[in-house]
Amino acid sequence: MAINRRLITDDDFQEAMDRQVGVRVFENDHIVDTGVVITRFTDSFIVTQSGVSDVTYHSRSSCEFFEIRKR
């Protein structure tokens, strides 16, 4: 069973990026990305990557981000 931890602060995003943990992204109460890794973040955007050429920019204000931890 997976445990989800919401990422809110810059420190949360930095820790998830440093540890390269899987992240689940929600927008308008729908999953738009899952199992992606945060590669970079700013005040406006979170950049995630799921493959070599699959990079996605998510709006920080309109999306919710959750770290996926497995027990």
Side-chain angles (χ1 to χ4, degrees):
M1 177 176 190
I3 298 172
N4 296 318
R5 180 177 75 101
R6 188 171 184 183
L7 305 174
I8 300 170
T9 66
D10 284 349
D11 289 339
D12 293 341
F13 289 112
Q14 185 66 50
E15 179 184 347
M17 188 172 72
D18 290 345
R19 292 180 32 231
Q20 295 190 351
V21 295
V23 174
R24 187 171 287 155
V25 182
F26 288 83
E27 186 171 23
N28 297 326
D29 294 329
H30 297 285
I31 295 176
V32 293
D33 243 338
T34 188
V36 296
V37 176
I38 296 173
T39 57
R40 142 171 212 248
F41 64 92
T42 67
D43 292 339
S44 304
F45 292 96
I46 305 295
V47 182
T48 60
Q49 185 172 7
S50 61
V52 173
S53 63
D54 191 12
V55 176
T56 308
Y57 290 76
H58 299 285
S59 170
R60 195 165 173 171
S61 61
S62 65
C63 294
E64 294 179 287
F65 303 87
F66 293 87
E67 175 185 333
I68 304 167
R69 290 186 188 176
K70 296 181 183 179
R71 282 190 179 199

